[in-house]
Amino acid sequence: MPVIMIGFIKRYFVKAVSFLLALLFIYAAASKLFDFEAFQVQLAQSPLLSAYAGIISYGILIIEFAVAFMLLIPNSNRLGLYASIGLMSAFTLYIYLILNYSDFVPCSCGGILEKLGWTEHLIFNIWFLVLAIIGLYTLVKKTGKSGLKGLGYAGLIIVASCLVVIGLFRSSEHIIKSENSFIRRFLQHPILIEKTRDLKVNSYYLAGIHNGVLYLGNISAPLIITTIDTSLNRSTRKRTSIDKKDYNFRNIKLQIQGPYYYLYDGTVPIIYRGHLNDSIARTLSYQDAFFNQLVVIDSTRFAIRTQRGSDHRYTLATLDVKGDSKVKLKPDILQGQIDGVFDVDGSLISNSNATKLVYTYVYRNQFIVMDSTMKIENRLHTIDTTTRAKITISKLSDGTKKMGAPPFSVNKRSVIAGDLLFNESNLMGKYEPSESWKTSAIIDVYRLDRQKYMGSFYIDHKKGEALSSWLVNGNYLYAIVGNELRRYKIRGEAFK
């Protein structure tokens, strides 16, 4: 009986191994093919191969079906076993790299294999790799040739497959983080919602944070300052007043830079300042400059965006109410492409202590990093591919200009935290499910000191209402979505 059993195994072992491998590859390829869109999305989120999701998604399907076909044809059986060894080696190394050199683990398998944990999946692959090697050794021996020679070729194939995977990994990381062709990598739970508070109305916005207290402005009641502690438990409301108010204000805004609060409306060239413990804001600057954006640098210095009198183009400037020359234009910062007004539209922001300024263009994939004097440190780009503003300008009979068609908007709003820029994007990247854009805001994270994309995450809408205001402070992200104030905890290693 043992002799008969051994003879049976020798006779049918290679066929059985080939059949098992072929079944595995057909099943895996068919699972991907039946839900190909999901497979591409999952592969695009791979921390190792994101940049090549398109090529690899098609390539894997073709290779798996081709290898299965070779395994089932007697004349190509040996070639199929060599190809199986190469393919299983690549899959095995990929999983090993995922488990040991990645912050998160995606899923790019379907069916039964999706139920396996990644460690179990690694063991599963190793077992089939060993089976393929034994099958090849047996087949070579049956042909009367040296089995060791076959193992030598198999070893070369394993090394080559592993080198290909490592090369793709290193190249993909560089492309995704430095030369991205608009493929987002969504990080696994970088922020976790901890608490919410109902604000009752949706007209609030975050004006700043100081000494563990959030300050909220209200579009409908611009002279009321609402404070909420960062645990979102206690709140207060304070009605402020301004020392001079006989002006035709359009939209008074509130900004906090402790220990002061500032009220302003750039259509009227006036800035008010009040102490956080005081309810009266007094005129700090009057008729120094008209502006449409303002960032507080310190108690008497500001960064503004204004329009030049000579050509009405937008330009950045500094305003020092104590300086001899109060306004200093910085005409070389914003670079026009079409008209110098609409095409350079964007948002000017600062970090918490105003040591760093960032201007993010709305209609193109660029942001400008500056110090507090508006000296340019970096011109960096976001991961989308819109390098030139896609807008049309119409000139009216009275000489004024307006947008000739709905603009192609790229970036919405940004905040700074440390050396990171958190940017809300307005464009969908490759291999992204459209459903996510209907229910969430997409936040992309970048380094400010060099060209590097760190990853992306979602902030969910609330009953159809989207993110309207947000800031990052320390390990927390605070966001207003509709009438809800949320506190998110940032996972410690999420953006490192």
Side-chain angles (χ1 to χ4, degrees):
M1 180 66 72
V3 175
I4 296 174
M5 183 64 70
I6 292 171
F8 182 84
I9 292 173
K10 283 183 177 180
R11 184 176 180 181
Y12 293 104
F13 178 74
V14 175
K15 290 183 179 180
V17 168
S18 299
F19 179 78
L20 280 175
L21 287 167
L23 186 64
L24 174 65
F25 293 137
I26 290 172
Y27 171 77
S31 297
K32 298 178 181 75
L33 184 61
F34 289 146
D35 199 358
F36 186 69
E37 183 180 358
F39 170 57
Q40 276 197 321
V41 169
Q42 291 161 351
L43 193 58
Q45 298 312 308
S46 163
L48 305 184
L49 303 176
S50 307
Y52 302 109
I55 297 173
I56 291 176
S57 61
Y58 289 102
I60 286 178
L61 286 177
I62 294 170
I63 291 172
E64 285 182 332
F65 279 126
V67 172
F69 180 78
M70 287 189 291
L71 287 167
L72 295 174
I73 303 300
N75 291 338
S76 60
N77 185 236
R78 183 190 300 184
L79 185 60
L81 286 171
Y82 278 122
S84 299
I85 290 170
L87 202 54
M88 294 307 298
S89 298
F91 291 159
T92 301
L93 179 63
Y94 172 76
I95 295 172
Y96 175 80
L97 292 174
I98 287 285
L99 289 172
N100 292 277
Y101 297 97
S102 170
D103 261 353
F104 63 95
V105 289
C107 179
S108 57
C109 299
I112 298 172
L113 298 182
E114 192 174 21
K115 307 302 180 183
L116 293 178
W118 282 83
T119 301
E120 291 81 5
H121 206 153
L122 179 65
I123 295 170
F124 179 88
N125 279 13
I126 291 173
W127 189 86
F128 268 92
L129 175 60
V130 171
L131 201 60
I133 292 172
I134 296 173
L136 176 67
Y137 178 81
T138 305
L139 179 62
V140 172
K141 287 279 287 183
K142 283 177 66 175
T143 61
K145 297 180 181 180
S146 172
L148 292 177
K149 188 176 182 179
L151 291 179
Y153 287 139
L156 291 175
I157 290 172
I158 291 172
V159 171
S161 298
C162 291
L163 289 176
V164 168
V165 172
I166 292 171
L168 288 173
F169 162 50
R170 292 177 64 86
S171 176
S172 176
E173 285 298 280
H174 175 74
I175 291 171
I176 287 294
K177 293 183 177 179
S178 302
E179 300 176 3
N180 197 299
S181 56
F182 211 7
I183 301 174
R184 283 192 174 89
R185 176 177 295 167
F186 287 95
L187 305 172
Q188 298 292 329
H189 310 298
I191 60 171
L192 301 171
I193 192 165
E194 286 192 336
K195 197 166 184 178
T196 64
R197 184 184 177 99
D198 187 0
L199 298 175
K200 306 301 182 184
V201 295
N202 62 1
S203 55
Y204 284 103
Y205 61 92
L206 288 161
I209 186 170
H210 180 65
N211 288 343
V213 177
L214 293 166
Y215 290 83
L216 278 63
N218 192 321
I219 297 171
S220 302
L223 295 183
I224 292 179
I225 301 176
T226 300
T227 66
I228 301 178
D229 67 304
T230 51
S231 62
L232 308 191
N233 290 323
R234 299 179 301 277
S235 67
T236 65
R237 296 180 71 201
K238 177 171 66 177
R239 181 177 293 277
T240 63
S241 60
I242 50 181
D243 60 355
K244 296 179 181 179
K245 53 187 175 182
D246 297 327
Y247 304 109
N248 186 24
F249 293 116
R250 294 183 184 176
N251 180 23
I252 296 179
K253 297 178 182 177
L254 170 69
Q255 192 172 149
I256 306 298
Q257 184 67 270
Y260 300 104
Y261 64 91
Y262 299 83
L263 295 164
Y264 56 90
D265 179 344
T267 59
V268 178
I270 190 168
I271 303 172
Y272 302 96
R273 185 185 71 185
H275 197 279
L276 289 173
N277 296 326
D278 191 357
S279 61
I280 300 177
R282 295 172 174 81
T283 301
L284 177 66
S285 169
Y286 179 58
Q287 291 190 337
D288 293 323
F290 290 91
F291 54 89
N292 41 46
Q293 290 191 42
L294 177 143
V295 166
V296 181
I297 297 175
D298 60 34
S299 60
T300 60
R301 292 192 304 133
F302 306 88
I304 62 173
R305 191 185 74 177
T306 185
Q307 285 186 286
R308 293 187 302 208
S310 58
D311 55 12
H312 303 292
R313 288 180 170 237
Y314 282 155
T315 183
L316 299 184
T318 57
L319 169 60
D320 185 351
V321 299
K322 298 295 184 182
D324 295 331
S325 178
K326 292 185 178 181
V327 178
K328 293 182 179 179
L329 299 181
K330 307 289 182 177
D332 298 328
I333 296 177
L334 301 184
Q335 298 176 328
Q337 295 178 332
I338 300 172
D339 70 326
V341 179
F342 295 107
D343 62 338
V344 297
D345 196 10
S347 58
L348 179 64
I349 59 172
S350 72
N351 58 357
S352 58
N353 55 6
T355 57
K356 200 173 291 293
L357 303 170
V358 169
Y359 189 86
T360 305
Y361 288 109
V362 172
Y363 303 120
R364 66 178 99 157
N365 65 343
Q366 190 182 80
F367 59 95
I368 308 164
V369 184
M370 302 163 281
D371 65 15
S372 60
T373 66
M374 286 195 168
K375 179 182 177 182
I376 297 176
E377 296 180 351
N378 289 301
R379 288 186 185 271
L380 305 174
H381 59 80
T382 55
I383 60 173
D384 64 272
T385 55
T386 309
T387 58
R388 185 173 178 82
K390 297 178 181 179
I391 59 174
T392 57
I393 308 299
S394 298
K395 193 171 183 178
L396 303 181
S397 57
D398 60 359
T400 60
K401 298 178 181 179
K402 71 172 187 177
M403 288 280 194
F408 187 80
S409 178
V410 176
N411 303 306
K412 286 187 177 180
R413 57 179 72 86
S414 304
V415 299
I416 304 174
D419 288 326
L420 298 176
L421 177 74
F422 293 75
N423 179 60
E424 183 184 357
S425 176
N426 202 39
L427 295 180
M428 185 166 64
K430 296 179 182 178
Y431 318 119
E432 291 178 19
S434 58
E435 293 78 12
S436 300
W437 283 83
K438 299 175 184 177
T439 59
S440 309
I442 310 299
I443 310 299
D444 302 323
V445 185
Y446 304 91
R447 290 292 298 258
L448 293 176
D449 56 348
R450 60 185 181 276
Q451 184 62 58
K452 189 169 186 180
Y453 164 64
M454 305 298 292
S456 304
F457 61 92
Y458 298 104
I459 293 182
D460 294 333
H461 295 173
K462 181 179 185 291
K463 295 180 180 178
E465 293 191 274
L467 174 71
S468 61
S469 179
W470 56 311
L471 61 83
V472 177
N473 182 259
N475 294 322
Y476 293 94
L477 184 151
Y478 301 91
I480 294 179
V481 181
N483 62 345
E484 185 175 77
L485 174 60
R486 300 174 182 174
R487 184 182 72 182
Y488 293 89
K489 177 69 179 291
I490 299 175
R491 186 165 56 84
E493 301 297 317
F495 306 116
K496 295 184 180 178

